[in-house]
Amino acid sequence: MTSIAYSVQLQTNPRNFGGCLWNNNSSAKAVYQLNTRFRAAISSRIYCSSAAISVMAEEKREASFDADKAGVIVKELRQQYDSGKTKTYEWRVAQLEGIAKMVDEREKDIIEALNKDLSKPEFEAFVAEINMIKSACKLAIKELKQWMMPEKVKTPLTTFPSSAEIVSEPFGIVLVISTWNYPFLLSIDPVIGAIAAGNAVLLKPSEIAPATSSLIANLFQEYVDSTSIKVVEGAVDETSALLEQKWDKIFYTGSGRVGRIVMAAAAKHLTPVVLELGGKCPVVVDSEVNLQVAARRIIAGKWSCNIGQTCTAADYVITTKDFAPKLIAGLSSELDNFFGKDPLNSKDMSRVVNLYHFRRLVKLMEEDGVSDKIVLGGQTDEMQLKIAPTILVDAPKDSAVMTEEIFGPLLPIVTVEKIEDCFEVIKSKPKPLAAYLFTDNEKLKKAFVKDVSAGGMLINDTILHLTVDALPFGGVGESGMGYYHGKFSFEAFSHKKAVMYRSFDGDSSIRYPPYTLKKLNLLKSLLSGSIMQIIPALLGWSKE
């Protein structure tokens, strides 16, 4: 293993290749092809090693987690919920305070786990995961009493005397299936909403981020009520067994492919779902921009956010043919400032999560008609699972990089004759989770907000709308259904129960048989709401 690792490191760690600008794509292609040959020379040895490790991991696994074991856990959760304790304000606040304490006391452990899983820099781990959870806990604790209060509503004259309210009640027992790109944030954030709403919860973290998954499972045993908030670790077998059970709500974050499986399983029990998926998020860049600021903010929302492994990251850019060279030059300059001339060795850049996704991304670049479209980047390091920020221009419309969600450090640029042509490009694809526009043109801003359908939208920046807890976060169409964040998280896990109160006074014969013309006229007058019609009807005066 040592000699193989040494050989791989020598052959797949390109250094000092630098970046290539718009007019130097031949150099970028040469770098890319060189790396391709290196990867091919060692791929068989890598596969053998990976297979051996996989076999050992399988041998160490415990007995299969089946539907029967999942059923026992669900029964335990149901008993806890039926006891009524999770509905109390005191229980909810105690669990939220426990999570807040957990994050404060175990911050270093969380950062270490995120680094193991994704080589996530400490700064990024704190800002994008730890601080987001702290904020969510703080808000929920502060506002919980207000969220739990029934909402008074008006009642019509036809129900007089009466009053009515909307009562937020927990669904019951809920399943949260998390994902790997933000394995701490996207596990804990929906759980906060489920707890605040008064549910018993089962969390299934992602096995693709094993260090974080294991840490969460251990921490929940210590910091929250583990009889009502449980964690099940595992992969496909465990998830499948859990999905066979009857839940009162399922919250899933991940790919559209698995989202369809989750929804199909939920349909068997008529279980409502929240699906937080993704899609190809467009970034439209007009020529009327501050180029340096626009470039920095695009980079911040693409390569500085988990190297593009973010559901709201820029998936492709649309700009005019005339402006494209300037934009690429601006991005290249700022990328050098952020990550240096050798980005593969930057300590400020995360890595691709695993070998499968690394090779998936490499395959996107290798496709015929795509590799020669690389104008910047293209360097890879399989040992480190790192790919340099890579820009492609006008890749074929039917190529995988233009039809599949990239979820990595590749950024295609689509050029158009005039910026208004962006609408046709965006509408030709499924509705995205997020859409971004950079411009100072007020007319273009209004048209973008009006005509582009997306889960969320941000003008002159990327990603930051996720940090505003007063805004709902969720998809539309193939990018998902349902939403959460802030009070919306509480509502995502709450049933809005309509409650009406009446006394025994004021009982009117108008609603009871025998039905007469007088009763019909009175009913019509009451429904009209006009006092000028109600008085004659009460006196029995006919309209005729």
Side-chain angles (χ1 to χ4, degrees):
M1 290 293 292
T2 305
S3 61
I4 292 175
Y6 182 70
S7 173
V8 170
Q9 194 168 23
L10 283 177
Q11 299 182 67
T12 63
N13 191 18
R15 300 176 187 275
N16 302 318
F17 285 123
C20 309
L21 295 181
W22 170 272
N23 59 357
N24 195 22
N25 61 331
S26 60
S27 298
K29 184 178 180 182
V31 169
Y32 172 77
Q33 291 176 336
L34 181 62
N35 279 284
T36 300
R37 290 196 296 271
F38 285 158
R39 286 193 304 274
I42 59 159
S43 60
S44 61
R45 282 176 286 178
I46 294 281
Y47 276 120
C48 291
S49 302
S50 299
I53 293 170
S54 177
V55 169
M56 288 188 290
E58 287 295 325
E59 290 175 351
K60 290 181 179 179
R61 285 188 62 178
E62 297 178 358
S64 177
F65 182 90
D66 57 17
D68 290 338
K69 291 183 179 180
V72 170
I73 294 176
V74 169
K75 184 178 180 180
E76 292 173 354
L77 287 173
R78 182 71 65 187
Q79 290 173 343
Q80 294 297 317
Y81 176 75
D82 288 345
S83 73
K85 72 174 182 178
T86 68
K87 297 181 182 180
T88 67
Y89 170 79
E90 291 74 18
W91 183 87
R92 303 184 202 193
V93 167
Q95 308 318 305
L96 296 172
E97 289 175 342
I99 292 175
K101 182 181 180 182
M102 175 186 81
V103 177
D104 280 337
E105 293 183 351
R106 306 302 287 271
E107 182 176 314
K108 289 184 178 179
D109 295 331
I110 298 165
I111 289 171
E112 182 181 348
L114 292 171
N115 187 264
K116 286 180 180 178
D117 287 331
L118 291 151
S119 292
K120 193 167 286 194
E122 181 176 348
F123 183 91
E124 187 177 331
F126 177 80
V127 171
E129 304 217 36
I130 292 170
N131 187 61
M132 293 280 281
I133 293 301
K134 286 183 176 182
S135 297
C137 276
K138 183 178 180 181
L139 178 69
I141 293 168
K142 177 183 177 183
E143 300 292 341
L144 184 57
K145 280 188 178 179
Q146 184 65 36
W147 292 350
M148 291 175 64
M149 289 181 62
E151 178 186 348
K152 298 293 183 182
V153 297
K154 293 181 179 180
T155 56
L157 183 60
T158 52
T159 64
F160 179 84
S162 67
S163 63
E165 61 187 10
I166 300 170
V167 176
S168 294
E169 68 174 8
F171 277 103
I173 60 169
V174 301
L175 171 64
V176 175
I177 305 175
S178 184
T179 191
W180 53 264
N181 57 331
Y182 292 86
F184 189 74
L185 171 68
L186 297 181
S187 293
I188 309 300
D189 201 5
V191 168
I192 289 171
I195 291 170
N199 298 277
V201 189
L202 190 143
L203 169 64
K204 165 59 183 67
S206 174
E207 73 281 3
I208 300 177
T212 307
S213 175
S214 177
L215 179 65
I216 290 173
N218 291 330
L219 293 182
F220 269 33
Q221 288 282 340
E222 182 178 349
Y223 286 93
V224 297
D225 175 9
S226 59
T227 64
S228 303
I229 306 167
K230 295 182 179 291
V231 178
V232 169
E233 293 189 88
V236 175
D237 290 346
E238 289 76 11
T239 304
S240 299
L242 291 171
L243 286 174
E244 288 184 33
Q245 310 307 309
K246 178 174 173 56
W247 302 91
D248 296 311
K249 187 136 193 188
I250 298 175
F251 189 106
Y252 169 75
T253 305
S255 70
R257 179 183 62 82
V258 179
R260 287 173 170 84
I261 296 171
V262 171
M263 194 169 183
K268 294 178 182 179
H269 302 289
L270 294 180
T271 300
V273 298
V274 173
L275 301 179
E276 294 294 341
L277 308 177
K280 296 190 74 63
C281 300
V283 180
V284 177
V285 184
D286 189 16
S287 57
E288 298 181 33
V289 295
N290 181 319
L291 180 57
Q292 182 184 36
V293 173
R296 292 166 68 91
R297 291 178 178 179
I298 291 170
I299 293 169
K302 176 67 172 181
W303 295 289
S304 294
C305 277
N306 206 21
I307 197 83
Q309 297 173 125
T310 302
C311 54
T312 53
D315 200 87
Y316 65 103
V317 169
I318 306 172
T319 194
T320 62
K321 293 183 185 298
D322 292 339
F323 191 68
K326 296 179 182 177
L327 177 60
I328 294 167
L331 290 169
S332 175
S333 176
E334 294 303 323
L335 281 168
D336 284 350
N337 291 337
F338 287 6
F339 305 116
K341 294 291 184 181
D342 185 10
L344 294 180
N345 289 301
S346 172
K347 294 180 180 180
D348 295 319
M349 183 179 289
S350 303
R351 63 168 170 83
V352 178
V353 66
N354 59 25
L355 188 58
Y356 167 80
H357 283 285
F358 178 90
R359 288 179 173 164
R360 175 186 63 82
L361 290 164
V362 169
K363 187 177 179 181
L364 293 180
M365 292 193 290
E366 287 180 343
E367 186 177 355
D368 289 343
V370 174
S371 61
D372 60 350
K373 299 297 184 180
I374 296 173
V375 298
L376 181 72
Q379 305 97 316
T380 65
D381 185 336
E382 195 165 86
M383 280 300 295
Q384 293 191 79
L385 295 178
K386 285 194 172 184
I387 299 175
T390 300
I391 297 176
L392 312 92
V393 176
D394 287 330
K397 293 180 180 179
D398 60 350
S399 61
V401 79
M402 289 306 303
T403 56
E404 299 175 7
E405 184 178 7
I406 294 171
F407 225 68
L410 317 181
L411 184 62
I413 293 179
V414 177
T415 64
V416 292
E417 293 298 330
K418 58 182 187 299
I419 201 64
E420 289 77 12
D421 294 338
C422 70
F423 296 110
E424 183 179 348
V425 176
I426 296 171
K427 290 178 181 179
S428 70
K429 303 179 185 299
K431 295 178 181 180
L433 184 58
Y436 307 107
L437 170 67
F438 287 84
T439 186
D440 277 332
N441 185 322
E442 293 299 324
K443 183 178 179 181
L444 184 60
K445 291 178 187 178
K446 291 179 180 178
F448 193 78
V449 172
K450 178 183 177 183
D451 296 335
V452 173
S453 181
M457 192 170 284
L458 184 53
I459 309 298
N460 291 331
D461 212 327
T462 61
I463 300 294
L464 284 183
H465 62 297
L466 308 184
T467 66
V468 182
D469 55 44
L471 290 175
F473 174 68
V476 59
E478 292 188 25
S479 60
M481 61 181 67
Y483 41 80
Y484 71 126
H485 283 189
K487 187 180 180 182
F488 299 104
S489 292
F490 174 86
E491 293 181 345
F493 291 98
S494 299
H495 165 61
K496 298 297 183 181
K497 182 165 63 180
V499 181
M500 184 174 176
Y501 302 92
R502 293 202 74 201
S503 72
F504 288 104
D505 298 329
D507 194 50
S508 173
S509 64
I510 188 175
R511 63 185 290 197
Y512 307 122
Y515 302 125
T516 65
L517 180 60
K518 180 180 179 180
K519 287 182 178 181
L520 180 60
N521 288 334
L522 180 56
L523 177 63
K524 288 181 177 179
S525 66
L526 289 171
L527 292 174
S528 73
S530 170
I531 192 68
M532 299 304 294
Q533 293 185 39
I534 294 173
I535 292 175
L538 287 171
L539 295 175
W541 295 348
S542 172
K543 292 182 179 179
E544 301 174 355

